[in-house]
Amino acid sequence: MYNFIMENKWSILLVLEFFAWSVTTFMFYARYKMQSQFWFKVASTILILTGVIPQVLLGVVNFVATKEIDLFTLVIVLLIVYGFTIGKKYVQKLDVWAQKKFSK
């Protein structure tokens, strides 16, 4: 399993990113179109479970395997830093867009 992860880390990262953005879209849909706090919370939980945690674990596994900060580990760190800094502004813009789009 470990070898599979290391051999396919970029593909796994892309799948996780796609999944995370899909869940983000659903999260906004649940919040504004469905107006469901339950589904919004479910989507938020899934976002953490499919976005943040697995990506951090991928970075840790890669760092442990390579024992250096290579391009993959750097990309993971940059994604996390982006998400907690500049990315918040883009998510707020996306939130405004989703509110307008789904509230009609």
Side-chain angles (χ1 to χ4, degrees):
M1 182 68 166
Y2 183 76
N3 289 334
F4 175 81
I5 292 171
M6 291 307 296
E7 290 172 6
N8 298 293
K9 61 188 175 188
W10 287 104
S11 298
I12 293 169
L13 179 61
L14 283 173
V15 168
L16 289 172
E17 272 296 307
F18 174 78
F19 218 31
W21 281 105
S22 298
V23 172
T24 300
T25 303
F26 176 70
M27 187 174 63
F28 290 133
Y29 181 81
R31 183 176 187 182
Y32 297 118
K33 185 69 171 179
M34 296 171 62
Q35 296 183 350
S36 171
Q37 281 293 82
F38 172 77
W39 285 111
F40 178 76
K41 290 177 183 177
V42 168
S44 299
T45 302
I46 293 171
L47 179 63
I48 291 168
L49 295 175
T50 62
V52 179
I53 294 172
Q55 290 181 15
V56 170
L57 289 176
L58 265 177
V60 169
V61 166
N62 184 69
F63 181 74
V64 168
T66 62
K67 297 187 181 19
E68 66 181 15
I69 298 179
D70 62 355
L71 179 62
F72 185 80
T73 305
L74 185 61
V75 166
I76 296 287
V77 169
L78 289 175
L79 281 172
I80 292 167
V81 169
Y82 168 80
F84 286 112
T85 58
I86 300 168
K88 285 185 177 183
K89 292 177 187 174
Y90 289 107
V91 170
Q92 288 171 344
K93 288 181 181 181
L94 186 60
D95 186 53
V96 170
W97 173 84
Q99 187 175 10
K100 290 176 185 175
K101 176 78 174 173
F102 295 131
S103 293
K104 292 181 181 180

